[in-house]
C-alpha cells in the first residue's frame, strides 16, 4: 500500500511539473503583422490589437483598437477581455461586457475600442472570451520604464 502511494505521489509530482513547464513555455510575444499598412499584434485573421500606436510601459494609458475575425455566429455574443501577468495567477478585466453587434473595420469582421493599461512590466496574456468561451489570446510584452 505504501509503495503504491509513493508511486502515485511521484507520478503526480512529475505530471504537475510537466504541465507547469508547458504552461509557461509558450509565453512569447505574439506575431506582429500588417493590415492596411498598420502594425497589429496577435493571431492574424483571428484576434489582434493595433500595435503601432501602443505605449508599452506600465500604467501607460492607451486607447486600444481590438480586431476579431470569424463568421457571424461565432462572433455574436458578449465579449470579455482579461489580462494575466506571466508571474501572477490573478487576472485584470480589460473589457467587461461589450455586446457585439459586428462592426467591421480594416479587414476584420468586428472591432472594439477600449483603454489598455497594464500595471507592471513583463509578459501579459490577453484572453478574449465570447459568451464566456475562450476565443483567442494575445501575448504582449510591457517594457520597464
Amino acid at each position: 500500500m505504501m509503495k503504491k502511494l509513493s508511486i502515485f505521489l511521484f507520478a503526480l509530482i512529475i505530471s504537475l511539473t510537466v504541465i507547469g513547464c508547458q504552461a509557461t513555455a509558450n509565453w512569447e510575444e505574439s506575431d506582429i503583422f500588417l493590415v492596411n499598412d498598420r502594425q497589429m499584434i496577435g493571431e492574424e485573421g483571428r484576434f489582434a490589437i493595433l500595435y503601432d500606436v501602443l505605449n508599452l510601459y506600465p500604467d501607460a494609458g492607451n486607447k486600444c483598437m481590438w480586431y476579431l475575425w470569424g463568421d457571424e455566429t461565432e462572433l455574436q455574443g458578449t465579449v470579455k477581455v482579461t489580462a494575466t501577468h506571466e508571474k501572477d495567477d490573478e487576472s485584470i478585466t480589460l473589457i467587461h461586457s461589450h455586446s457585439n453587434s459586428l462592426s467591421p473595420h480594416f479587414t476584420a469582421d468586428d472591432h472594439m475600442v477600449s483603454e489598455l493599461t497594464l500595471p507592471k512590466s513583463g509578459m501579459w496574456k490577453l484572453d478574449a472570451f465570447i459568451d464566456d468561451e475562450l476565443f483567442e489570446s494575445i501575448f504582449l510584452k510591457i517594457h520597464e520604464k
Side-chain angles (χ1 to χ4, degrees):
M1 173 89 167
M2 187 64 136
K3 185 175 180 180
K4 285 183 181 181
L5 180 60
S6 295
I7 292 170
F8 172 75
L9 289 175
F10 179 74
L12 180 64
I13 290 169
I14 295 297
S15 297
L16 292 174
T17 301
V18 169
I19 291 169
C21 289
Q22 289 175 343
T24 58
N26 296 328
W27 284 66
E28 296 176 8
E29 193 164 42
S30 295
D31 291 335
I32 297 171
F33 56 95
L34 290 176
V35 173
N36 292 356
D37 295 325
R38 300 296 304 267
Q39 286 186 340
M40 293 198 182
I41 187 168
E43 184 66 34
E44 189 170 2
R46 186 77 175 149
F47 177 54
I49 56 177
L50 196 56
Y51 184 75
D52 55 6
V53 295
L54 291 179
N55 183 351
L56 298 172
Y57 295 97
D59 292 324
N62 289 288
K63 178 181 175 183
C64 185
M65 298 287 286
W66 305 83
Y67 295 92
L68 297 94
W69 289 264
D71 65 50
E72 186 174 339
T73 57
E74 180 182 34
L75 296 176
Q76 288 295 333
T78 302
V79 178
K80 176 181 173 182
V81 179
T82 62
T84 306
H85 189 269
E86 64 185 329
K87 302 217 187 289
D88 296 334
D89 289 334
E90 288 186 43
S91 53
I92 300 166
T93 301
L94 302 174
I95 298 175
H96 292 279
S97 59
H98 171 78
S99 269
N100 220 348
S101 59
L102 296 188
S103 177
H105 191 256
F106 288 149
T107 64
D109 299 305
D110 190 28
H111 83 288
M112 305 170 288
V113 179
S114 78
E115 262 314 291
L116 173 63
T117 302
L118 299 170
K120 62 183 173 180
S121 62
M123 192 64 68
W124 287 84
K125 180 180 176 195
L126 311 178
D127 291 320
F129 299 88
I130 299 179
D131 287 340
D132 296 322
E133 288 195 35
L134 182 62
F135 178 73
E136 191 64 59
S137 300
I138 296 172
F139 290 87
L140 182 66
K141 184 173 184 174
I142 300 299
H143 305 281
E144 290 185 28
K145 288 186 179 182

